[in-house]
Structures are given as C-alpha cells and as structure tokens.
Amino acid sequence: MKDGGLQNEYDVIVVGAGVGGCCAAIAAAEMGRRTLLIEQEAGPGGVAVHCGCPVFLGFGYGSRQLVGGLGERLLCALDSMGAVAEVDAHGRIAERLSEGALTGVYTTTEPQLALCLNRMLGKAGVERLYYATVTGARTEGGKVRSIDLFCAGRSLRIAGCFFVDASGDAVLSGLAGAPVIEGAPEDTMTKTILFKVNGVRAFDKVLLREKFARACAEKRFPFAGQDLFMGNPLGNTDEVLLNLSLVSGNALDPLELTRMDIELREQVFPILEWLRAEFEEFRNARLVAIAPKIGVRAGRCLDAREVITCRDLIEDTPVPDPVAVAKRGFGGHGIHCFRNPWEQSLAGCRGIPYRALQARKIGNLLAAGRSIGVEPRAISAVRLMSTCMATGHAAGVGAALSASRREFAPYEMVREELLRQHAILEFHHESGKETQ
C-alpha cells in the first residue's frame, strides 16, 4: 500500500542523508531511478549539519584536486549562494571559491548547507523522508527486500530493489545481516562536541597552534589528551568553529553514548574560559552555539567484499577497480594525544575500490561514506566529508546501474558512468595527474 505519498517500491533506497548519502541519492535519481532518501534527523547534512561541522577537508593533495563530480557540484552550488569560504593554513579566508582546482579547506554554515542540499535533492527528483528511524530490514534469498521504519509515531515498511547504506555506522548493513566490523574504542578515535564562538580577534592559526601546543605540553589545558588547536572561521560569518573537547568510549553502546554526550557538554565552558584567559585573540569570545549531537569519527563499518587495511595504505597496494581517491595517511584524533601511536603520515593518495562499497552475502547492498569496508585504524583515510561525497557518488551510480540488472553492475560500467559525470577515480604519482 502507498502511505502518505510513498511508493510501494523504489529502485534505490539510500539510508542516511549526510553529504555522502545525498550524493548517492542525487546520482541515482539523475540516472532516472525512483529514489528515496531516508534520514533520522530533521533534514539533510549529517555530521556537517547535525554535529555542527560544515567544514570540508580533503578536496586536494598539494595542487591537485581529488574530488570531482557531485562533490565539486555541491561546492559550486554553495558558492553560487555566496555560502562558502576557503580557509588557508593561517586561518585567512577567501569569500568565494578560487579559480582552478579545488584543493583547499572550505567552510559554510549549517542552515546554508541544509538548504543547498535540499535544493539539489529536489531538483534531481529525490523523494525524501526525514524524522525516520530504520528499525529493521527484511532479507530473502541473500537480498534486502524491504526495510522497516518508525516516523511520526507510525511504523512503515518500504520495499526496494537496491540499497545504499550511508548511515555512518553501517546501521542498515547490520540490520540486514551483512557482516560488519566494529572497532575497539581506542581504535575509533576520540568523540568530540563542536561549539561556535564570536567576538574573536583575527588570529594566525599556525602561530596559535604553536602557542596552544606549548600550553598543552605544560599541562595548562584543562583536559588531558588534547594537544592540537582545531578551529576555523565559519563560512562568511564572524563565527569561529572550535573542536577542542574530547572523550573516549564506545559510541555503539547506548549508555556510553549518553555518558560521552554529558561529559563533552560539561567541557565546553571551562575550555572557553581557558581560551579567554590564555589567548588575547579570544579575550572577548562569546559562546554562540553547541552542536546538537556529538561527533563520532568511527564506530561500525561494512565487512565488504574488500576491506581497506592499514597495510594497503602503507604498501600502496594496487587498486584495479577505483571509484574514488583518498589520502593514504591515517591515525589522527587519538584518545591520549592527537597523534595515535600507530599514526602513519604517508605521502600520496590511493584509490578506493568498488568492492569496498559492496556488501558480502547481501547482493543488493552498497555502502557510502564511513560505512564502507575499512579497517578501524585505517578509517582516517576515507572518513573526511569530501571523500564521503566521492564514495556516495560512486555508490549512487553503482546502485542506479545495478537496479536494472538486479545484481552488482560490473566495474567497467560504473567506471564509465562516473567518468562521464566528471568524477576523479585515480591518482598517478609518476605523472602527477589524476584520471577523470
């Protein structure tokens, strides 16, 4: 039965409306597939909007752009709204995108990003269901046939042909019975809560990081484990986004998640008081907002047909089926200090395999964003939002092509379509050129 305008069945159902899920849904809909995007929050944006982190890193490596396709289109759409700024290493901002390759750090604001994503989704013809929590998945014959939802006090069941898990913690994959990987808390990085302040004098981020590191080394910062100043001017506003809190725990445990949220909110106020006392630039800083939700960098991911490992990144093993490009380094945001003991600062980039998006044992399930198949300690290489946009784009194209075949589309078809849509799939160290 149809329910409130929903279809009986969709060609592609995407769970999770972060930037990766949005790119997946837009890609599938633009290829003519009936597409439904499901999100438990009040709208799109995921971590960027609902965890207060509208900052896009990882678009480039040196002078070379790593993310094209829908990720580039999103930045350009924000730019057309006057809603994006480019931040350099010192914290200076340019209020529009620069000419040429997109290789910088870009910031916007949560309302502008949500508005932009909704406009792009609407234009593509994506049906959206917000305020909806996925509670179950029904499988038969090694495929997901339908998913159960709870929304606005009602239980719903919606059938689909192909599914994309962009939930961040492989929620759909786990409910569908696909093998998943859960990392230990010490391997999944700190959890933080971001907060915004205004009234900050212009500062040089490089110099401020040096002063901050000295203060932490002298144990003057109020919370142990933090030793890196993380803050950026936010979009074309007078606000500064700060990422200085930290706590360790299992974000997949309901009680632990609650405990961490409580502890992190308590940290914001002494951190702000400390900044006011320690740095002249923050003397008149005022709290504007604390993020609605804490930031979880890693929890659960798909045990995919291929799992990206630390060894793959260290040895730069060949990728015969790349659908996106990501940096090779991994290991930041440790629980005792920013740099984990197992951190690797590796030069260059590596392709993300198509098989890392494909579920094992479930023949119609793809993953996007940080739900893709990756070893917990290696997730830093693929979790940045720019990379999530690229894997989301690839998952959406893969799902659209696979829906008509009722099985995973061959890599050659996915590659051809991604290139047609201006995605960047490869990074050649020898020539210094990407393949588009």
Side-chain angles (χ1 to χ4, degrees):
M1 286 181 65
K2 292 185 178 180
D3 189 280
L6 293 172
Q7 300 295 312
N8 290 326
E9 182 174 357
Y10 289 85
D11 298 319
V12 176
I13 295 178
V14 180
V15 174
V19 291
C22 287
C23 285
I26 292 167
E30 289 184 340
M31 292 175 65
R33 301 295 183 257
R34 290 176 302 170
T35 303
L36 176 66
L37 177 62
I38 297 168
E39 169 57 46
Q40 65 180 351
E41 304 295 343
V47 168
V49 171
H50 303 291
C51 296
C53 188
V55 179
F56 304 135
L57 301 90
F59 260 89
Y61 180 78
S63 62
R64 284 170 278 174
Q65 185 172 332
L66 299 184
V67 178
L70 278 166
E72 181 173 347
R73 282 174 53 189
L74 174 57
L75 276 191
C76 291
L78 286 166
D79 190 43
S80 70
M81 296 167 56
V84 68
E86 184 171 355
V87 184
D88 70 12
H90 294 272
R92 294 184 293 263
I93 65 170
E95 295 182 355
R96 301 299 298 267
L97 293 182
S98 57
E99 296 292 331
L102 299 174
T103 60
V105 175
Y106 304 98
T107 69
T108 181
T109 67
E110 299 98 303
Q112 290 171 314
L113 178 59
L115 178 63
C116 185
L117 287 170
N118 263 326
R119 287 175 175 174
M120 291 180 70
L121 290 162
K123 184 177 180 181
V126 176
E127 292 188 44
R128 287 150 282 175
L129 187 62
Y130 300 146
Y131 301 95
T133 299
V134 179
T135 59
R138 296 176 176 266
T139 59
E140 180 184 340
K143 292 186 177 180
V144 182
R145 300 302 180 183
S146 63
I147 57 176
D148 295 328
L149 311 170
F150 187 77
C151 181
R154 303 178 64 184
S155 296
L156 307 172
R157 180 170 296 164
I158 303 175
C161 179
F162 244 82
F163 294 81
V164 176
D165 187 343
S167 64
D169 284 321
V171 172
L172 175 59
S173 301
L175 291 172
V180 294
I181 301 169
E182 295 187 7
E186 60 268 22
D187 291 340
T188 57
M189 300 178 282
T190 56
K191 286 70 181 173
T192 54
I193 196 160
L194 278 68
F195 61 99
K196 295 185 288 188
V197 299
N198 61 14
V200 179
R201 279 177 32 196
F203 60 87
D204 186 309
K205 188 173 178 179
V206 172
L207 297 178
L208 193 59
R209 278 190 165 179
E210 293 174 357
K211 292 191 289 185
F212 186 86
R214 286 196 297 271
C216 292
E218 295 167 1
K219 301 188 183 304
R220 301 204 310 272
F221 188 71
F223 298 101
Q226 184 60 275
D227 57 3
L228 180 70
F229 175 82
M230 289 174 282
N232 281 300
L234 195 58
N236 297 319
T237 73
D238 63 350
E239 297 174 350
V240 174
L241 181 66
L242 295 172
N243 183 7
L244 297 174
S245 63
L246 76 169
V247 72
S248 178
N250 182 4
L252 301 175
D253 181 292
L255 291 178
E256 280 282 279
L257 189 61
T258 300
R259 172 189 65 80
M260 291 188 291
D261 187 284
I262 293 169
E263 288 186 20
L264 287 167
R265 292 183 192 281
E266 287 282 356
Q267 290 182 15
V268 169
F269 299 93
I271 288 173
L272 182 53
E273 287 301 315
W274 184 85
L275 288 171
R276 288 173 179 149
E278 191 77 19
F279 301 118
E280 182 63 33
E281 297 93 334
F282 283 82
R283 194 76 67 212
N284 298 312
R286 296 177 298 276
L287 182 66
V288 174
I290 303 174
K293 297 177 66 175
I294 68 172
V296 177
R297 294 177 173 83
R300 181 194 300 113
C301 68
L302 183 67
D303 187 359
R305 291 187 170 188
E306 179 173 340
V307 174
I308 301 166
T309 67
C310 296
R311 185 171 184 175
D312 288 328
L313 298 171
I314 293 168
E315 298 181 359
D316 197 14
T317 56
V319 179
D321 57 343
V323 291
V325 179
K327 297 177 182 179
R328 292 171 56 219
F330 61 91
H333 294 283
I335 61 174
H336 301 297
C337 58
F338 182 81
R339 299 185 182 280
N340 275 299
W342 36 267
E343 183 192 43
Q344 294 281 338
S345 298
L346 301 167
C349 302
R350 182 176 183 268
I352 295 176
Y354 179 40
R355 288 169 57 86
L357 278 58
Q358 299 177 339
R360 291 194 296 112
K361 299 184 179 181
I362 303 292
N364 64 340
L365 176 62
L366 291 158
R370 60 184 179 88
S371 293
I372 70 171
V374 60
E375 185 179 18
R377 287 189 174 187
I379 198 168
S380 295
V382 303
R383 72 172 187 86
L384 294 178
M385 277 185 272
S386 56
T387 312
C388 292
M389 294 176 202
T391 56
H393 187 183
V397 167
L401 293 171
S402 300
S404 59
R405 301 171 61 89
R406 304 280 171 166
E407 62 182 7
F408 291 123
Y411 171 66
E412 293 73 18
M413 290 181 62
V414 176
R415 174 185 175 86
E416 181 180 357
E417 182 61 28
L418 283 170
L419 292 175
R420 191 187 70 79
Q421 296 186 25
H422 307 293
I424 296 173
L425 309 187
E426 296 174 86
F427 183 95
H428 295 293
H429 302 277
E430 296 82 11
S431 64
K433 295 181 180 179
E434 313 85 0
T435 296
Q436 287 195 352

